Amino acid sequence: MSSDDLAHFHPLDPGRINTIDPLELRYWCQQLQCNETQLRQALATAGDHVTAVREQLAAQRG
C-alpha cells in the first residue's frame, strides 16, 4: 500500500481511531506523525478518542 492509498481515505468516525482497520491505522499514523507502535501505546493509555491520543503522543514526545 502506498501513501496514495491514503490520499482519498477518510475514517468513518473522524473522532475515534478504529484499531481493527489497518488502513485507518496507517491514516492516523500519517495524520499524527507517529509510527504504529507509538500510536498503539498512546491508544492503550488514552483510549481511542483522537484528541486524547494526540495529547498522549505529545506527552510521550516530551
Side-chain angles (χ1 to χ4, degrees):
M1 238 178 263
S2 70
S3 61
D4 292 341
D5 295 333
L6 297 176
H8 302 289
F9 178 82
H10 298 285
L12 291 175
D13 182 349
R16 291 181 181 263
I17 299 172
N18 177 0
T19 59
I20 297 171
D21 183 351
L23 185 58
E24 186 161 335
L25 285 176
R26 289 192 54 233
Y27 169 84
W28 285 114
C29 286
Q30 182 181 43
Q31 293 297 308
L32 299 172
Q33 299 178 336
C34 64
N35 62 40
E36 187 174 336
T37 300
Q38 292 167 321
L39 180 60
R40 288 192 179 276
Q41 287 172 344
L43 285 161
T45 302
D48 64 356
H49 287 271
V50 173
T51 302
V53 170
R54 183 175 279 124
E55 291 170 358
Q56 181 61 35
L57 285 167
Q60 287 175 0
R61 292 178 181 131

